[in-house]
Amino acid sequence: AIHRAAGPELLAECRTLHGCATGQAKITKGYKLPAKYVIHTPGPIWRGGGQGEDGLLASCYRSSLELAAEYGCKTVAFSAISTGVYRFPLERAAASILDGAPDNLQLILVDDGSADATPALCDKLAAGDRRVRAIHQKNGGASAARNAGLDAAAGEWVLFVDADDALLPGLW
């Protein structure tokens, strides 16, 4: 879906990257997307939790955020990496999200209403970590985050919690 929205130039640039290891991240231009960049990070396939999946997922977020900072990005939006077809348990993935984020950044979790467990998970994370604020907006996505008054200039990082992994990862 992201390649369709960005246009053929994105795929052409991706081919020059020569792949990306699980847990690492690479960046391309956003082309026709409303984002300046797209950060690509392959998440781990859930194999029961005994094969380093937690560390690899945390590395996905950490590597992506490092690239975002290197390129001067002020706002980043993620879907819940690996929780869709890769079957990473959403609640366990939440710990990886927080482990991968720097302490000096505000994390905004946007629950788009796509999964029954998501509102409770967002609230749990927000209650347990001073860096986290939860926003609940059914079918809202990135526009819900902007409408909630996020301040990109203040360096607020947006993590979309979406069990179906249906939101496009990347920057908006």
Side-chain angles (χ1 to χ4, degrees):
I2 197 165
H3 287 275
R4 249 192 336 261
E9 299 88 354
L10 178 61
L11 180 58
E13 185 175 355
C14 284
R15 287 184 174 139
T16 70
L17 299 177
H18 306 291
C20 185
T22 301
Q24 298 302 304
K26 294 189 177 182
I27 194 166
T28 62
K29 295 176 186 172
Y31 297 100
K32 295 178 185 173
L33 295 170
K36 188 170 183 180
Y37 301 106
V38 175
I39 297 174
H40 309 267
T41 184
I45 297 171
W46 179 253
R47 300 183 194 283
Q51 297 188 22
E53 296 99 316
D54 295 305
L56 286 169
L57 187 58
S59 182
C60 287
Y61 287 104
R62 191 172 35 259
S63 298
S64 296
L65 291 170
E66 287 170 359
L67 267 179
E70 181 182 330
Y71 279 77
C73 302
K74 297 294 183 188
T75 304
V76 180
F78 291 102
S79 61
I81 299 167
S82 287
T83 61
V85 296
Y86 286 177
R87 305 273 187 235
F88 207 106
L90 184 59
E91 187 152 346
R92 189 161 175 163
S96 295
I97 293 169
L98 295 176
D99 287 346
D103 287 335
N104 64 337
L105 297 175
Q106 173 83 26
L107 301 176
I108 311 299
L109 300 176
V110 179
D111 155 37
D112 74 347
S114 66
D116 292 338
T118 306
L121 177 60
C122 285
D123 289 340
K124 180 179 178 181
L125 291 171
D129 193 305
R130 64 174 174 71
R131 300 171 298 169
V132 179
R133 189 170 89 201
I135 298 172
H136 301 288
Q137 174 96 28
K138 188 163 179 75
N139 301 322
S143 61
R146 283 192 298 268
N147 293 340
L150 299 187
D151 183 0
E156 293 182 317
W157 300 83
V158 181
L159 303 177
F160 286 100
V161 177
D162 176 9
D164 296 325
D165 219 11
L167 295 173
L168 296 178
L171 309 169
W172 52 270

